[in-house]
Amino acid sequence: MARKILLEHIQVQNINTFEVYRSKGGYAAVEKAIKTMSPEAVVEEVKKSGLRGRGGAGFPTGMKWSFLAKPDGIPRYLVCNGDESEPGTFKDRFLMTHIPHALIEGMIVASYALGANTSYIYVRGEMMPQIRILEKAIIEAKNAGFLGKNILGSGYDLELYVQPGGGAYICGEETALLESLEGKRGNPRIKPPFPAIAGLYGCPTVVNNVETIAATSWIINHGGDEYAKIGLERSTGTKLISASGNLNKPGVYEIELGLPVEEFIYSDEYCGGIAHGKRLKAVVAGGSSVPILPAKLILKTAADTARLMTYESLSDGGFATGTMLGSGGFIALDEDACIVRNTWNFSRFYHHESCGQCSPCREGTGWMEKILHKIEYGHGTLQDISLLEEINKKIEGNTICPLGDAAAWPVASAIRHFRDEFEWHVNEPMLSQKNNYGLANYGA
Amino acid sequence: MSDKIKITIDGVVVEVEPGTTVLNAARQIGGNIVPPAMCYYSKLEESGGKCRTCLVKVSKGSEKDPRPMPKLVASCRTTVMDGMEVQNITSPEVIEARKGVVEMLLINHPLDCPICDQAGECHLQDLGFEHGAAQTRYEFKRRTFERVDIGDKIQLHMNRCILCYRCVFTANQITDNRVHGVLGRGDASEIGTYIQQAVDNDFSGNVIDVCPVGALTDKTFRFKNRVWFTKPVDAHRDCPTCSGNVTLWYKGEEVIRVTARKDQYGEVENFICNTCRFDKKATSDWEIEGPSKVRHTSVISSNHYDTMQPLPVIQQKPALIIANQEQFQKTSKQ
């Protein structure tokens, strides 16, 4: 069995209650950090662990924490980004539903490390049950003296609040999240200044993903060096992967980074292969915004080495033949899946979720969606495919926030790797409405 | 002064105060190398960064950290660093990106310039003329909205809006309370008043002046005339609420429109009140100063003044022309 860190006690009954969580060694990290360590030592430990942001960008967490400006007399904030709404990603919801105290414990440790006396957990508006679970967990922790004034007699105060969002994907972008948290329209801010200098209410702020924060308590308990031993090279530790699509056993899995992709898809410990005995056609490896790859490129890199579940291995080959680990939303598509329809579906999502602030994204996402709809329903032309490529280039990199890139990458990569299928949709409009293109030469 | 910092834009060196944005540094040089700006407004705080027409390439970050910036940046919101090198019209990448932005801005624009009151003084029209394609590649139905009267003097024509947020910042920053804002999300966003509330404020008329397109128009002027048939004249009056410095737009003997005075970038110099704008339309109300300066390239000047003067600065100073050309050749060889 692979090593479990976040989901170690997931099988324990009532692990979502304080008593059970505590009896399994919960909140030991809070005791250890607050009683025996200085905030700087906690940051140092996280730095040593090599933990990288689990929200998608993979930025080293310890480094992010050490960038936080610490001017006198100005409060600092820690904000937990629970606005998980990327199609294909559902790991944070799982964690918040079943082990809410892992997040609360991590929040206390991280807030202590950053010197924040008020911290927020921003949860997506649709996750009302999770919000109630978290609020209950906060009350339980408070009653046990782990939150509130003078935690464990150390003189450190911390108030933790859960803030429901309005249900916008864009509020998962950290500056839009902060705007939304301040009660404004969730438009991303123009950077610089970065949140580490001027974030929530203009004060220095750190925004971290749910999974990142939950991982910190294990690091404090066992030491950063121990965490760094797990995983492979610069991708240390474990990662929650939300597997979905045409798999035998879709669900949330905790993997040690460095696991071969092939093993993740086919071994019985994980996804157990493709459903109904079909063959794998394509994989979106890290949530809808990362480039889609055909089966032959996801199992083996262009250099013919096995592809592993690490930040580096998945992005091996750049965008030409690689993808990204992203937030870990692993979507597998079998031989009967239509790539054009899948791309259109993603594009429709980004069109719906664009905030409308900057022009390339506001207008471009809608345009792409309309063209893809046209191709999918057999009215496309070959010029439409090259037009899509051009629109992609006009959006990518020219927008305020990464949503423009996220909208452009899936379309660009689908055309890059599955151009045949797009052309087939154009050339065989009647047939494409009845049949699927099939596996063609995309299989492993 | 020693605390000024040096920045090179398209091969032209300029010294500016620390904290200046790249766009304003370019404006100090003037001429063709000033990036166009649809949403940035120097008089309004927080404006800019949204339209992406002012994208430039930073080919050298600063003296200390000479790495180029990985993406094109919005020049209106990027502050200068010492030794920064910026490429605007000498970078094919920037021109290409700007063309893309203009195309995006126009795909849902009705292009009803022949019946639009803004025609002739519309920034989008200028931008489209300079960077737009001859033909649209967009073949779907354009987004449409109903026209809305916000207050008795202003009409909102949302179809033409490019969501620059200027009118929102204007209402936020120079009036007591803002009753309009951006509703909706993505390409369904619109400027609107909540449940058709009227924009009724002494300074509300300024939203007409800051609007770069014909989305917010003066109802007292709508369909009265084309701007290039009118003569702008600077005038002032002793106004108790505002500075009273305005431009009167004459058609024959009649004042048919009053606006604030605008500078060469189409930005208002002093905001004016609604009394000056909508109610004082007789020559006897004003003290005339003389004809307004209008850009010689502007269509407004075409009927009244000497036309086709050379463009400023770049064409006038030989040293700048050479520096600019050298930079251009250097880039195009790469």
Side-chain angles (χ1 to χ4, degrees), chain A residues 9-40:
Chain A
H9 303 299
I10 190 69
Q11 307 286 5
V12 179
Q13 208 162 21
N14 294 334
I15 189 70
N16 59 353
T17 60
F18 179 81
E19 291 74 28
V20 178
Y21 184 76
R22 183 89 172 108
S23 70
K24 289 289 170 190
Y27 289 95
V30 177
E31 284 176 325
K32 183 175 175 188
I34 292 186
K35 282 184 179 161
T36 65
M37 294 167 82
S38 68
E40 293 76 27

Side-chain angles (χ1 to χ4, degrees), chain B residues 266-317:
Chain B
E267 290 185 5
V268 167
E269 284 169 2
N270 290 304
F271 291 109
I272 61 168
C273 66
N274 283 3
T275 317
C276 288
R277 183 185 302 274
F278 297 122
D279 300 337
K280 302 288 176 191
K281 292 206 175 171
T283 309
S284 56
D285 293 329
W286 299 94
E287 276 184 49
I288 307 294
E289 292 170 17
S292 308
K293 275 188 182 170
V294 178
R295 267 191 309 142
H296 291 285
T297 48
S298 166
V299 66
I300 299 170
S301 72
S302 61
N303 282 335
H304 312 294
Y305 309 106
D306 295 342
T307 47
M308 298 321 288
Q309 293 276 322
L311 285 163
V313 187
I314 288 285
Q315 267 80 351
Q316 283 167 8
K317 293 184 185 165

Side-chain angles (χ1 to χ4, degrees), chain B residues 90-106:
Chain B
T90 53
S91 162
E93 194 186 336
V94 170
I95 302 294
E96 201 49 41
R98 194 166 292 154
K99 269 188 187 166
V101 173
V102 176
E103 185 171 19
M104 299 291 183
L105 284 175
L106 289 175

Side-chain angles (χ1 to χ4, degrees), chain A residues 139-290:
Chain A
I139 292 169
E140 286 175 335
K142 204 165 188 173
N143 290 341
F146 287 104
L147 274 174
K149 293 244 175 280
N150 198 10
I151 297 171
L152 304 176
S154 64
Y156 174 66
D157 308 332
L158 175 66
E159 285 298 334
L160 197 53
Y161 299 99
V162 180
Q163 174 63 44
Y169 173 68
I170 189 64
C171 291
E173 200 274 345
E174 56 179 6
T175 53
L177 188 153
L178 296 176
E179 287 278 297
S180 171
L181 196 52
E182 287 177 14
K184 300 178 195 157
R185 186 184 154 85
N187 277 356
R189 293 176 186 167
I190 294 147
K191 289 178 264 187
F194 289 93
I197 311 293
L200 188 61
Y201 306 117
C203 302
T205 306
V206 165
V207 183
N208 274 138
N209 182 259
V210 170
E211 191 189 341
T212 318
I213 290 179
T216 52
S217 44
W218 193 93
I219 292 169
I220 297 310
N221 278 332
H222 299 80
D225 292 326
E226 197 63 30
Y227 191 84
K229 280 180 198 159
I230 312 166
L232 195 71
E233 293 165 6
R234 285 182 56 226
S235 302
T236 57
T238 64
K239 169 106 185 74
L240 295 181
I241 302 287
S242 350
S244 63
N246 311 112
L247 293 163
N248 271 329
K249 294 196 294 173
V252 176
Y253 294 96
E254 182 167 16
I255 60 154
E256 263 185 56
L257 289 170
L259 181 82
V261 178
E262 192 162 5
E263 191 185 330
F264 181 69
I265 299 175
Y266 291 105
S267 87
D268 282 336
E269 194 186 338
Y270 299 105
C271 302
I274 308 300
H276 310 298
K278 288 182 184 167
R279 291 167 298 173
L280 182 68
K281 180 176 184 180
V283 166
V284 180
S288 64
S289 62
V290 310

Side-chain angles (χ1 to χ4, degrees), chain A residues 351 357 359 363 374 390, chain B residues 50-51 108 137-139 187:
Chain A
H351 172 210
Q357 192 181 200
S359 30
E363 309 292 350
K374 198 177 138 193
E390 268 188 46
Chain B
K50 302 187 197 304
C51 71
N108 275 310
R137 296 187 286 179
Y138 187 73
E139 48 184 13
D187 63 3

Side-chain angles (χ1 to χ4, degrees), chain A residues 169-433:
Chain A
Y169 173 68
I170 189 64
C171 291
E173 200 274 345
E174 56 179 6
T175 53
L177 188 153
L178 296 176
E179 287 278 297
S180 171
L181 196 52
E182 287 177 14
K184 300 178 195 157
R185 186 184 154 85
N187 277 356
R189 293 176 186 167
I190 294 147
K191 289 178 264 187
F194 289 93
I197 311 293
L200 188 61
Y201 306 117
C203 302
T205 306
V206 165
V207 183
N208 274 138
N209 182 259
V210 170
E211 191 189 341
T212 318
I213 290 179
T216 52
S217 44
W218 193 93
I219 292 169
I220 297 310
N221 278 332
H222 299 80
D225 292 326
E226 197 63 30
Y227 191 84
K229 280 180 198 159
I230 312 166
L232 195 71
E233 293 165 6
R234 285 182 56 226
S235 302
T236 57
T238 64
K239 169 106 185 74
L240 295 181
I241 302 287
S242 350
S244 63
N246 311 112
L247 293 163
N248 271 329
K249 294 196 294 173
V252 176
Y253 294 96
E254 182 167 16
I255 60 154
E256 263 185 56
L257 289 170
L259 181 82
V261 178
E262 192 162 5
E263 191 185 330
F264 181 69
I265 299 175
Y266 291 105
S267 87
D268 282 336
E269 194 186 338
Y270 299 105
C271 302
I274 308 300
H276 310 298
K278 288 182 184 167
R279 291 167 298 173
L280 182 68
K281 180 176 184 180
V283 166
V284 180
S288 64
S289 62
V290 310
I292 186 171
L293 282 187
K296 58 183 176 186
L297 279 173
I298 190 71
L299 299 178
K300 288 221 161 60
T301 63
D304 208 34
T305 52
R307 212 182 270 278
L308 311 173
M309 294 289 248
T310 63
Y311 290 96
E312 291 79 25
S313 177
L314 279 172
S315 55
D316 184 83
F319 277 2
T321 58
T323 177
M324 285 156 77
L325 181 59
S327 55
F330 194 92
I331 309 170
L333 302 171
D334 71 15
E335 55 188 299
D336 284 341
C338 175
I339 300 294
V340 180
R341 191 170 186 85
N342 183 60
T343 312
W344 169 56
N345 191 24
F346 284 165
S347 197
R348 198 170 53 156
F349 173 79
Y350 289 109
H351 172 210
H352 186 249
E353 294 295 342
S354 167
C355 78
Q357 192 181 200
C358 62
S359 30
C361 174
R362 177 181 69 232
E363 309 292 350
T365 49
W367 194 4
M368 284 201 299
E369 193 237 312
K370 285 178 187 136
I371 296 175
L372 281 163
H373 179 267
K374 198 177 138 193
I375 298 176
E376 164 63 16
Y377 286 99
H379 304 290
T381 60
L382 288 176
Q383 282 99 313
D384 284 337
I385 301 174
S386 42
L387 179 60
L388 270 179
E389 279 181 319
E390 268 188 46
I391 300 172
N392 269 313
K393 278 185 210 140
K394 302 270 162 78
I395 300 177
E396 191 187 338
N398 292 344
T399 53
I400 295 176
C401 79
L403 193 134
D405 301 344
W409 288 341
V411 181
S413 60
I415 296 178
R416 193 182 305 126
H417 299 297
F418 300 91
R419 200 179 183 109
D420 294 356
E421 187 162 347
F422 280 84
E423 286 175 358
W424 180 75
H425 268 259
V426 170
N427 294 330
E428 303 282 352
M430 298 303 281
L431 195 62
S432 70
Q433 301 308 300

